[in-house]
PDB file of all heavy atoms in Angstrom:
ATOM      1  N   CYS A 187      11.736  -6.527  -4.505  1.00  0.00           N
ATOM      2  CA  CYS A 187      11.567  -5.865  -5.797  1.00  0.00           C
ATOM      3  C   CYS A 187      12.934  -5.599  -6.412  1.00  0.00           C
ATOM      4  O   CYS A 187      13.838  -5.133  -5.728  1.00  0.00           O
ATOM      5  CB  CYS A 187      10.850  -4.525  -5.619  1.00  0.00           C
ATOM      6  SG  CYS A 187       9.202  -4.655  -4.926  1.00  0.00           S
ATOM      7  N   SER A 188      13.065  -5.862  -7.695  1.00  0.00           N
ATOM      8  CA  SER A 188      14.291  -5.511  -8.401  1.00  0.00           C
ATOM      9  C   SER A 188      14.103  -4.124  -9.014  1.00  0.00           C
ATOM     10  O   SER A 188      12.981  -3.620  -9.104  1.00  0.00           O
ATOM     11  CB  SER A 188      14.578  -6.535  -9.499  1.00  0.00           C
ATOM     12  OG  SER A 188      13.571  -6.492 -10.482  1.00  0.00           O
ATOM     13  N   LYS A 189      15.186  -3.511  -9.441  1.00  0.00           N
ATOM     14  CA  LYS A 189      15.078  -2.181 -10.064  1.00  0.00           C
ATOM     15  C   LYS A 189      14.186  -2.232 -11.299  1.00  0.00           C
ATOM     16  O   LYS A 189      13.473  -1.286 -11.600  1.00  0.00           O
ATOM     17  CB  LYS A 189      16.460  -1.664 -10.457  1.00  0.00           C
ATOM     18  CG  LYS A 189      17.248  -1.108  -9.315  1.00  0.00           C
ATOM     19  CD  LYS A 189      18.514  -0.445  -9.801  1.00  0.00           C
ATOM     20  CE  LYS A 189      19.278   0.156  -8.657  1.00  0.00           C
ATOM     21  NZ  LYS A 189      20.509   0.811  -9.095  1.00  0.00           N
ATOM     22  N   GLU A 190      14.216  -3.345 -12.011  1.00  0.00           N
ATOM     23  CA  GLU A 190      13.414  -3.491 -13.223  1.00  0.00           C
ATOM     24  C   GLU A 190      11.915  -3.569 -12.911  1.00  0.00           C
ATOM     25  O   GLU A 190      11.091  -3.259 -13.756  1.00  0.00           O
ATOM     26  CB  GLU A 190      13.825  -4.749 -13.997  1.00  0.00           C
ATOM     27  CG  GLU A 190      15.241  -4.699 -14.554  1.00  0.00           C
ATOM     28  CD  GLU A 190      16.308  -5.015 -13.504  1.00  0.00           C
ATOM     29  OE1 GLU A 190      16.029  -5.767 -12.540  1.00  0.00           O
ATOM     30  OE2 GLU A 190      17.426  -4.484 -13.643  1.00  0.00           O
ATOM     31  N   LYS A 191      11.551  -3.997 -11.705  1.00  0.00           N
ATOM     32  CA  LYS A 191      10.138  -4.142 -11.332  1.00  0.00           C
ATOM     33  C   LYS A 191       9.529  -2.854 -10.794  1.00  0.00           C
ATOM     34  O   LYS A 191       8.330  -2.783 -10.603  1.00  0.00           O
ATOM     35  CB  LYS A 191       9.991  -5.227 -10.255  1.00  0.00           C
ATOM     36  CG  LYS A 191      10.076  -6.641 -10.784  1.00  0.00           C
ATOM     37  CD  LYS A 191       9.939  -7.650  -9.663  1.00  0.00           C
ATOM     38  CE  LYS A 191       8.556  -7.677  -9.084  1.00  0.00           C
ATOM     39  NZ  LYS A 191       8.380  -8.717  -8.056  1.00  0.00           N
ATOM     40  N   LEU A 192      10.348  -1.820 -10.525  1.00  0.00           N
ATOM     41  CA  LEU A 192       9.819  -0.586  -9.943  1.00  0.00           C
ATOM     42  C   LEU A 192       8.893   0.123 -10.933  1.00  0.00           C
ATOM     43  O   LEU A 192       9.244   0.351 -12.087  1.00  0.00           O
ATOM     44  CB  LEU A 192      10.954   0.351  -9.532  1.00  0.00           C
ATOM     45  CG  LEU A 192      11.834  -0.128  -8.388  1.00  0.00           C
ATOM     46  CD1 LEU A 192      12.945   0.874  -8.127  1.00  0.00           C
ATOM     47  CD2 LEU A 192      11.019  -0.353  -7.126  1.00  0.00           C
ATOM     48  N   TYR A 193       7.720   0.480 -10.442  1.00  0.00           N
ATOM     49  CA  TYR A 193       6.731   1.171 -11.261  1.00  0.00           C
ATOM     50  C   TYR A 193       7.186   2.624 -11.422  1.00  0.00           C
ATOM     51  O   TYR A 193       7.420   3.317 -10.423  1.00  0.00           O
ATOM     52  CB  TYR A 193       5.360   1.098 -10.582  1.00  0.00           C
ATOM     53  CG  TYR A 193       4.220   1.552 -11.443  1.00  0.00           C
ATOM     54  CD1 TYR A 193       3.777   0.769 -12.499  1.00  0.00           C
ATOM     55  CD2 TYR A 193       3.577   2.756 -11.202  1.00  0.00           C
ATOM     56  CE1 TYR A 193       2.718   1.168 -13.290  1.00  0.00           C
ATOM     57  CE2 TYR A 193       2.515   3.164 -11.993  1.00  0.00           C
ATOM     58  CZ  TYR A 193       2.092   2.366 -13.036  1.00  0.00           C
ATOM     59  OH  TYR A 193       1.051   2.770 -13.825  1.00  0.00           O
ATOM     60  N   PRO A 194       7.328   3.113 -12.647  1.00  0.00           N
ATOM     61  CA  PRO A 194       7.936   4.430 -12.874  1.00  0.00           C
ATOM     62  C   PRO A 194       7.016   5.636 -12.687  1.00  0.00           C
ATOM     63  O   PRO A 194       7.485   6.753 -12.551  1.00  0.00           O
ATOM     64  CB  PRO A 194       8.404   4.357 -14.323  1.00  0.00           C
ATOM     65  CG  PRO A 194       7.433   3.415 -14.963  1.00  0.00           C
ATOM     66  CD  PRO A 194       7.068   2.405 -13.902  1.00  0.00           C
ATOM     67  N   ARG A 195       5.697   5.422 -12.681  1.00  0.00           N
ATOM     68  CA  ARG A 195       4.774   6.555 -12.652  1.00  0.00           C
ATOM     69  C   ARG A 195       4.061   6.680 -11.313  1.00  0.00           C
ATOM     70  O   ARG A 195       4.036   5.758 -10.511  1.00  0.00           O
ATOM     71  CB  ARG A 195       3.739   6.412 -13.766  1.00  0.00           C
ATOM     72  CG  ARG A 195       4.368   6.549 -15.150  1.00  0.00           C
ATOM     73  CD  ARG A 195       3.331   6.462 -16.216  1.00  0.00           C
ATOM     74  NE  ARG A 195       2.997   5.048 -16.402  1.00  0.00           N
ATOM     75  CZ  ARG A 195       1.952   4.596 -17.060  1.00  0.00           C
ATOM     76  NH1 ARG A 195       1.110   5.427 -17.597  1.00  0.00           N
ATOM     77  NH2 ARG A 195       1.732   3.325 -17.184  1.00  0.00           N
ATOM     78  N   HIS A 214      17.152  -4.329  -2.964  1.00  0.00           N
ATOM     79  CA  HIS A 214      16.726  -2.947  -3.198  1.00  0.00           C
ATOM     80  C   HIS A 214      15.626  -2.569  -2.214  1.00  0.00           C
ATOM     81  O   HIS A 214      14.688  -3.321  -2.000  1.00  0.00           O
ATOM     82  CB  HIS A 214      16.198  -2.775  -4.627  1.00  0.00           C
ATOM     83  CG  HIS A 214      17.255  -2.983  -5.653  1.00  0.00           C
ATOM     84  ND1 HIS A 214      17.507  -4.212  -6.213  1.00  0.00           N
ATOM     85  CD2 HIS A 214      18.131  -2.124  -6.208  1.00  0.00           C
ATOM     86  CE1 HIS A 214      18.493  -4.104  -7.073  1.00  0.00           C
ATOM     87  NE2 HIS A 214      18.890  -2.841  -7.090  1.00  0.00           N
ATOM     88  N   ARG A 215      15.744  -1.368  -1.660  1.00  0.00           N
ATOM     89  CA  ARG A 215      14.702  -0.856  -0.777  1.00  0.00           C
ATOM     90  C   ARG A 215      13.522  -0.437  -1.652  1.00  0.00           C
ATOM     91  O   ARG A 215      13.675   0.302  -2.619  1.00  0.00           O
ATOM     92  CB  ARG A 215      15.237   0.336   0.002  1.00  0.00           C
ATOM     93  CG  ARG A 215      14.257   0.913   0.983  1.00  0.00           C
ATOM     94  CD  ARG A 215      14.973   1.870   1.918  1.00  0.00           C
ATOM     95  NE  ARG A 215      14.057   2.738   2.600  1.00  0.00           N
ATOM     96  CZ  ARG A 215      13.337   2.385   3.662  1.00  0.00           C
ATOM     97  NH1 ARG A 215      13.447   1.168   4.139  1.00  0.00           N
ATOM     98  NH2 ARG A 215      12.525   3.242   4.235  1.00  0.00           N
ATOM     99  N   ALA A 216      12.342  -0.930  -1.311  1.00  0.00           N
ATOM    100  CA  ALA A 216      11.151  -0.629  -2.100  1.00  0.00           C
ATOM    101  C   ALA A 216       9.917  -0.755  -1.224  1.00  0.00           C
ATOM    102  O   ALA A 216       9.988  -1.190  -0.079  1.00  0.00           O
ATOM    103  CB  ALA A 216      11.057  -1.576  -3.293  1.00  0.00           C
ATOM    104  N   VAL A 217       8.789  -0.348  -1.804  1.00  0.00           N
ATOM    105  CA  VAL A 217       7.503  -0.458  -1.142  1.00  0.00           C
ATOM    106  C   VAL A 217       6.577  -1.212  -2.086  1.00  0.00           C
ATOM    107  O   VAL A 217       6.525  -0.907  -3.281  1.00  0.00           O
ATOM    108  CB  VAL A 217       6.900   0.933  -0.842  1.00  0.00           C
ATOM    109  CG1 VAL A 217       5.521   0.814  -0.242  1.00  0.00           C
ATOM    110  CG2 VAL A 217       7.814   1.724   0.064  1.00  0.00           C
ATOM    111  N   VAL A 226       2.193  -3.370  -6.749  1.00  0.00           N
ATOM    112  CA  VAL A 226       3.293  -2.936  -7.604  1.00  0.00           C
ATOM    113  C   VAL A 226       4.431  -2.441  -6.722  1.00  0.00           C
ATOM    114  O   VAL A 226       4.215  -1.983  -5.596  1.00  0.00           O
ATOM    115  CB  VAL A 226       2.867  -1.823  -8.588  1.00  0.00           C
ATOM    116  CG1 VAL A 226       1.879  -2.339  -9.609  1.00  0.00           C
ATOM    117  CG2 VAL A 226       2.300  -0.633  -7.862  1.00  0.00           C
ATOM    118  N   CYS A 227       5.640  -2.551  -7.234  1.00  0.00           N
ATOM    119  CA  CYS A 227       6.820  -2.088  -6.519  1.00  0.00           C
ATOM    120  C   CYS A 227       7.047  -0.608  -6.806  1.00  0.00           C
ATOM    121  O   CYS A 227       6.942  -0.171  -7.955  1.00  0.00           O
ATOM    122  CB  CYS A 227       8.047  -2.873  -6.968  1.00  0.00           C
ATOM    123  SG  CYS A 227       7.972  -4.624  -6.568  1.00  0.00           S
ATOM    124  N   VAL A 228       7.346   0.139  -5.755  1.00  0.00           N
ATOM    125  CA  VAL A 228       7.556   1.578  -5.875  1.00  0.00           C
ATOM    126  C   VAL A 228       8.814   1.954  -5.104  1.00  0.00           C
ATOM    127  O   VAL A 228       9.078   1.404  -4.034  1.00  0.00           O
ATOM    128  CB  VAL A 228       6.335   2.344  -5.305  1.00  0.00           C
ATOM    129  CG1 VAL A 228       6.597   3.826  -5.222  1.00  0.00           C
ATOM    130  CG2 VAL A 228       5.099   2.069  -6.129  1.00  0.00           C
ATOM    131  N   ASP A 229       9.556   2.908  -5.641  1.00  0.00           N
ATOM    132  CA  ASP A 229      10.713   3.451  -4.936  1.00  0.00           C
ATOM    133  C   ASP A 229      10.184   4.366  -3.832  1.00  0.00           C
ATOM    134  O   ASP A 229       9.498   5.341  -4.109  1.00  0.00           O
ATOM    135  CB  ASP A 229      11.582   4.241  -5.910  1.00  0.00           C
ATOM    136  CG  ASP A 229      12.811   4.847  -5.275  1.00  0.00           C
ATOM    137  OD1 ASP A 229      12.961   4.786  -4.037  1.00  0.00           O
ATOM    138  OD2 ASP A 229      13.647   5.387  -6.026  1.00  0.00           O
ATOM    139  N   PRO A 230      10.498   4.079  -2.561  1.00  0.00           N
ATOM    140  CA  PRO A 230       9.945   4.888  -1.467  1.00  0.00           C
ATOM    141  C   PRO A 230      10.472   6.317  -1.442  1.00  0.00           C
ATOM    142  O   PRO A 230       9.891   7.171  -0.778  1.00  0.00           O
ATOM    143  CB  PRO A 230      10.359   4.124  -0.213  1.00  0.00           C
ATOM    144  CG  PRO A 230      11.541   3.337  -0.621  1.00  0.00           C
ATOM    145  CD  PRO A 230      11.345   3.005  -2.070  1.00  0.00           C
ATOM    146  N   GLN A 232      10.514   8.286  -4.048  1.00  0.00           N
ATOM    147  CA  GLN A 232       9.825   9.101  -5.046  1.00  0.00           C
ATOM    148  C   GLN A 232       9.003  10.176  -4.344  1.00  0.00           C
ATOM    149  O   GLN A 232       8.377   9.930  -3.323  1.00  0.00           O
ATOM    150  CB  GLN A 232       8.913   8.239  -5.922  1.00  0.00           C
ATOM    151  CG  GLN A 232       9.665   7.426  -6.928  1.00  0.00           C
ATOM    152  CD  GLN A 232       8.722   6.743  -7.912  1.00  0.00           C
ATOM    153  OE1 GLN A 232       7.498   6.856  -7.838  1.00  0.00           O
ATOM    154  NE2 GLN A 232       9.291   6.019  -8.853  1.00  0.00           N
TER     155      GLN A 232
END
Side-chain angles (χ1 to χ4, degrees):
C187 299
S188 65
K189 281 188 178 180
E190 294 80 29
K191 283 179 69 176
L192 293 178
Y193 191 73
R195 293 182 281 166
H214 295 91
R215 182 167 163 79
V217 176
V226 293
C227 296
V228 172
D229 180 353
Q232 285 188 359

